[in-house]
Amino acid sequence: MMPTGSPIDAFLQHIGPLTWDDLVTGYDFGFLTSLEIQIAAPGEGPAVQRLRALEGSALKHFEAHLWAACTEAVGKTPRPGSSRWSQAQDRWREALLREALATETTAAQLAARVERLYEQVGCPEDMLGMLKPSQAWSGTPATVDPAAVQRFLDRSRSGIRRFGAAS
């Protein structure tokens, strides 16, 4: 499989269309840029139009406009701890794990990528067994069990969701 090149491409390829919850959490986790959100934002309401029109120094207020557009579209904005946030967090985790498993060519590369994902998004308890984190003090690199990553992903496809029980 060809690497997608960006988190948004990985999400679209492995999960499907982005929801407003995915846009908000993707921005909060640093996966999406303001420009990517402006392009991907669904709908035509006034708040969405204002979001799309932001440029230059007005972008310093991007997050407030993102929240307003999300609220306009779906009624409220997901926040950490809510089930909508956790579900979107799971979708991002799944997309990026699928991309890593499909594109990383060595176990060391996969381990490094999974460890970065753990650090960036957090991990639910049922992910803990797939990675042995690096230990900088001893110079020990991270290691990962690719079969455990695949089992985790198979569970998410079979409808077993973790809903962001990050540790």
Side-chain angles (χ1 to χ4, degrees), residues 94-137:
E94 179 181 340
L96 297 174
L97 280 173
R98 285 189 185 287
E99 181 69 5
L101 198 57
T103 60
E104 296 305 340
T105 57
T106 69
Q109 289 171 329
L110 179 61
R113 192 137 166 218
V114 170
E115 185 173 46
R116 278 192 308 275
L117 184 60
Y118 268 43
E119 292 167 355
Q120 194 167 5
V121 182
C123 68
E125 201 170 295
D126 57 354
M127 276 181 75
L128 293 174
M130 72 175 73
L131 175 80
K132 183 176 179 190
S134 62
Q135 299 187 5
W137 59 269

Side-chain angles (χ1 to χ4, degrees), residues 146-157:
V149 175
Q150 188 60 59
R151 283 191 302 274
F152 177 81
L153 292 172
D154 291 345
R155 287 181 57 193
S156 69
R157 282 285 154 100

Side-chain angles (χ1 to χ4, degrees), residues 57-82:
S57 64
L59 285 169
K60 65 184 168 191
H61 303 291
F62 179 81
E63 192 167 301
H65 285 275
L66 173 61
W67 292 350
C70 179
T71 300
E72 175 184 85
V74 296
K76 64 182 184 176
T77 301
R79 298 309 310 148
S82 74

